[in-house]
Amino acid sequence: MKPVLTNSMTNSEESKHGLGLAQIKQLKTELTRFMMSYKFALDELNTKIDILKQEFQYIHDYNPIEHVKSRVKSPESILNKVYRKGYDLSLSAIKKNIKDIAGIRITCSFIKDIYELSNMLQSQQDLEVLEVKDYIENPKPNGYQSLHLILQVPVFMSDRVENVCIEVQIRTIAMDFWASLEHKIYYKYNKAVPERLKNELKEAAVTAAQLDKKMESIHQEMSAIKDASHSHNVEKLQINDETFTLPYDLLKPFMNK
Ligand code: 0O2
């Protein structure tokens, strides 16, 4: 495809779309600023998630977040969605209608962590929660499970504040395994998945949910054993040159074990 904008074009010349060079330059600047605002919003939210992750590790002695992946939708995929949904082709309409241009997927160890993390994000004062879809409590008919949040993040630019939407998907490793395989199958069969495979996928989703419950109950049992063994213990606390001997339970909330 030939580039629309060429260096040899003068201000008075028009592209094949009837736009002058100045208009094309302006369009290019607007588009770049538009896409950049999503990247900046993701940077902000990624930092927030990293802070929560480190704090959680410090307080609870384990890391509830297995991994975090973020992406800005490609312009091609944004345009596909505009045509598929019949939205207006303007930046303001795209911003208003497409809430998943920026997306973050967080994989947690346990279901309990998903809700804890979601509550922590939802209670941050500078984030506005626009939508919550709980596909864990109410899985999709095909078996899909995840917690989806649409959050609005203020991005402080040089001359203005942009409120930018981000779709956050929070799921367990088992849910993520299921969703990525289902996504591959869906595309392999060009969205016409045979009925037998659909049923098997649904069964696999139920099995994945059972595995999540089982792993969580093992984890809870292990934590209870760990707490019980510590509760008989005392810890030595040194403040300046003085050493204090205190029950472990009293110090636990303040300790990085
Ligand atoms: P991609 O490539 O992951 O971005 P909408 O977003 O408005 O088109 P909807 O149904 O209102 O549609 O949004 P919803 O339910 O919040 O789902 C949006 C995203 O969740 C999808 O984005 C997928 O990432 C994921 N998702 C939802 N349902 C399924 C499912 O059945 N299987 C799998 N594997 N993923 C799902 P995109 O834009 O479809 O794709």
Side-chain angles (χ1 to χ4, degrees):
M1 198 169 75
K2 275 192 195 158
V4 179
L5 184 62
T6 65
N7 288 336
S8 58
M9 208 184 265
T10 67
N11 264 347
S12 57
E13 278 178 306
E14 289 200 340
S15 73
K16 62 180 174 181
H17 302 290
L19 292 174
L21 184 61
Q23 280 172 298
I24 292 173
K25 274 189 177 160
Q26 193 192 339
L27 188 65
K28 194 178 165 218
T29 309
E30 275 176 29
L31 264 175
T32 308
R33 293 189 88 178
F34 182 78
M35 294 309 284
M36 273 171 87
S37 66
Y38 287 96
K39 189 224 169 256
F40 295 149
L42 281 180
D43 289 346
E44 272 187 35
L45 198 54
N46 271 319
T47 302
K48 282 175 179 293
I49 293 164
D50 196 45
I51 290 170
L52 292 177
K53 182 176 162 177
Q54 289 188 45
E55 196 199 4
F56 211 98
Q57 169 82 54
Y58 192 77
I59 294 171
H60 299 284
D61 193 26
Y62 89 98
N63 176 10
I65 299 176
E66 293 290 334
H67 36 254
V68 181
K69 252 178 30 194
S70 58
R71 62 103 183 94
V72 177
K73 240 185 187 9
S74 67
E76 189 192 6
S77 146
I78 295 173
L79 285 179
N80 278 337
K81 194 157 182 174
V82 167
Y83 288 120
R84 205 173 63 240
K85 302 259 182 180
Y87 299 140
D88 279 353
L89 188 55
S90 69
L91 292 185
S92 59
I94 291 174
K95 182 173 173 167
K96 181 169 155 262
N97 293 313
I98 306 185
K99 304 277 198 247
D100 66 343
I101 292 178
I104 295 192
R105 190 169 286 157
I106 308 169
T107 313
C108 288
S109 316
F110 305 107
I111 295 174
K112 189 171 139 285
D113 300 332
I114 295 178
Y115 290 106
E116 211 159 322
L117 188 63
S118 158
N119 288 339
M120 288 186 215
L121 286 172
Q122 291 194 45
S123 58
Q124 300 219 350
Q125 283 177 7
D126 53 346
L127 298 179
E128 194 176 334
V129 185
L130 300 186
E131 208 177 294
V132 179
K133 287 188 195 165
D134 190 345
Y135 296 125
I136 300 172
E137 191 61 36
N138 305 297
K140 283 199 168 181
N142 63 355
Y144 176 79
Q145 289 196 43
S146 268
L147 182 67
H148 290 193
L149 311 176
I150 303 285
L151 300 178
Q152 190 174 264
V153 182
V155 176
F156 294 84
M157 310 284 258
S158 56
D159 57 348
R160 65 193 192 285
V161 178
E162 280 282 339
N163 289 315
V164 180
C165 285
I166 300 184
E167 183 189 67
V168 184
Q169 300 180 350
I170 320 178
R171 41 172 82 154
T172 61
I173 305 168
M175 292 172 194
D176 191 49
F177 181 34
W178 184 93
S180 40
L181 192 65
E182 191 261 1
H183 192 261
K184 277 182 200 146
I185 292 174
Y186 195 68
Y187 280 95
K188 181 158 179 68
Y189 284 94
N190 203 15
K191 301 180 186 177
V193 182
E195 209 55 36
R196 182 187 60 82
L197 268 185
K198 276 190 193 166
N199 292 335
E200 287 200 26
L201 272 170
K202 194 154 181 184
E203 270 176 38
V206 173
T207 310
Q210 286 167 345
L211 180 65
D212 272 334
K213 286 210 177 80
K214 187 82 193 158
M215 297 309 275
E216 189 149 352
S217 95
I218 293 172
H219 173 73
Q220 274 166 0
E221 233 178 277
M222 288 300 299
S223 302
I225 292 169
K226 198 172 159 198
D227 281 353
S229 73
H230 273 306
S231 67
H232 302 301
N233 295 340
V234 288
E235 291 284 337
K236 288 194 190 319
L237 175 71
Q238 183 141 4
I239 300 174
N240 296 329
D241 287 336
E242 269 191 276
T243 303
F244 301 88
T245 305
L246 294 167
Y248 168 81
D249 280 349
L250 194 69
L251 289 174
K252 191 185 166 205
F254 309 102
M255 283 174 57
N256 179 20
K257 294 151 279 162

